[in-house]
Amino acid sequence: MSLDIEFEVPTWDEIYEMLLNLAEKIQKDKFRPDLIVGICRGGWPPARVMSDLLGNPKMANISVEFYVDVAETKSKPMLTQPVSVPVKGKKVLIMDDVADTGKTLKVVKEHLFSRGAEEVKIATIYYKPWSTVIPDYYEKETRRWVVFPWERKETVRNLMKKHRKEEVRKKLVKGGMDPKLADRFISEVLEEKRSQRTG
């Protein structure tokens, strides 16, 4: 199977710069959330940074399962862990890394309103033009598959299940992954596979 996805591999510093810009947009909008909800798992790192940038230490978690592999989803997202704190009467900012299909964001927003949230806004770092939900705040539009700093090895591991290492390396490096890091993760994943076969 050929690897026909184009990748974008932002650095930690690029992500931080985008989150700084997002925080400015939220502040200019005069939206002051009582609570920041990070969607498990990709929304956790940006939610933590946004908590720092907005000076808002109150955070909560929510978990939705949707993606099963790179660019592969279940038929619909499933809420697997409801919001971890009461939200009744609160202004809530949902943080996620990307608005891709928009389905996860829709489920989370509906869940928060069903729990009595007064106002809910969504912020994502990236937005894809086909998303059914347009975030209230986003920083960059892309059509590529974004490989965030917190999921690089996981992405290599998933791609190596179906594709040759040369193809995986070429595509990720073209998207911006450091070649040494790509080589390291590919070697580690190959070693994991060998261990599983011999174990």
Side-chain angles (χ1 to χ4, degrees):
M1 186 193 302
S2 110
L3 186 50
D4 56 0
I5 303 168
E6 292 302 316
F7 294 95
E8 183 165 340
V9 190
T11 65
W12 283 103
D13 284 346
E14 287 167 340
I15 292 292
Y16 196 79
E17 187 70 32
M18 288 190 264
L19 286 167
L20 278 170
N21 294 338
L22 263 182
E24 278 182 16
K25 288 177 183 175
I26 293 165
Q27 287 164 330
K28 278 182 185 165
D29 195 34
K30 297 194 169 30
F31 181 60
R32 294 183 181 86
D34 301 306
L35 184 68
I36 297 170
V37 174
I39 300 178
C40 172
R41 290 180 302 156
W44 285 352
R48 174 61 185 91
V49 175
M50 194 56 66
S51 165
D52 177 45
L53 296 176
L54 295 180
N56 184 342
K58 292 188 175 67
M59 295 179 65
N61 174 54
I62 195 165
S63 185
V64 177
E65 288 183 8
F66 190 39
Y67 282 94
V68 292
D69 206 338
V70 173
E72 283 183 39
T73 62
K74 296 178 179 181
S75 57
K76 64 177 186 174
M78 298 291 296
L79 185 73
T80 54
Q81 181 189 330
V83 65
S84 57
V85 299
V87 296
K88 190 170 183 177
K90 292 187 175 171
K91 294 179 181 179
V92 181
L93 178 67
I94 299 170
M95 275 301 314
D96 208 357
D97 47 12
V98 61
D100 192 332
T101 66
K103 291 179 181 178
T104 295
L105 294 167
K106 184 174 185 286
V107 165
V108 170
K109 189 170 186 177
E110 286 170 356
H111 171 70
L112 292 171
F113 276 129
S114 77
R115 291 291 177 98
E118 180 190 308
E119 188 177 3
V120 178
K121 293 203 174 189
I122 298 168
T124 62
I125 303 168
Y126 283 86
Y127 160 74
K128 297 195 180 175
W130 49 80
S131 173
T132 57
V133 172
I134 300 171
D136 299 281
Y137 316 100
Y138 66 90
E139 189 52 30
K140 188 171 181 186
E141 186 175 322
T142 188
R143 293 177 171 273
R144 295 183 181 136
W145 182 266
V146 184
V147 183
F148 291 95
W150 44 87
E151 62 181 11
R152 290 174 186 165
K153 186 171 181 181
E154 178 183 315
T155 302
V156 171
R157 190 180 288 119
N158 287 337
L159 290 172
M160 296 268 295
K161 289 176 190 169
K162 299 177 185 172
H163 306 284
R164 294 184 341 271
K165 66 178 184 179
E166 297 80 14
E167 195 176 15
V168 170
R169 183 187 190 280
K170 182 180 175 186
K171 281 281 190 169
L172 289 173
V173 169
K174 183 183 174 196
M177 186 178 282
D178 180 282
K180 287 180 184 170
L181 198 57
D183 291 338
R184 174 181 174 161
F185 288 155
I186 288 167
S187 295
E188 288 176 5
V189 169
L190 289 171
E191 186 54 43
E192 286 169 11
K193 284 183 177 179
R194 277 192 291 273
S195 298
Q196 286 165 0
R197 281 198 298 268
T198 57

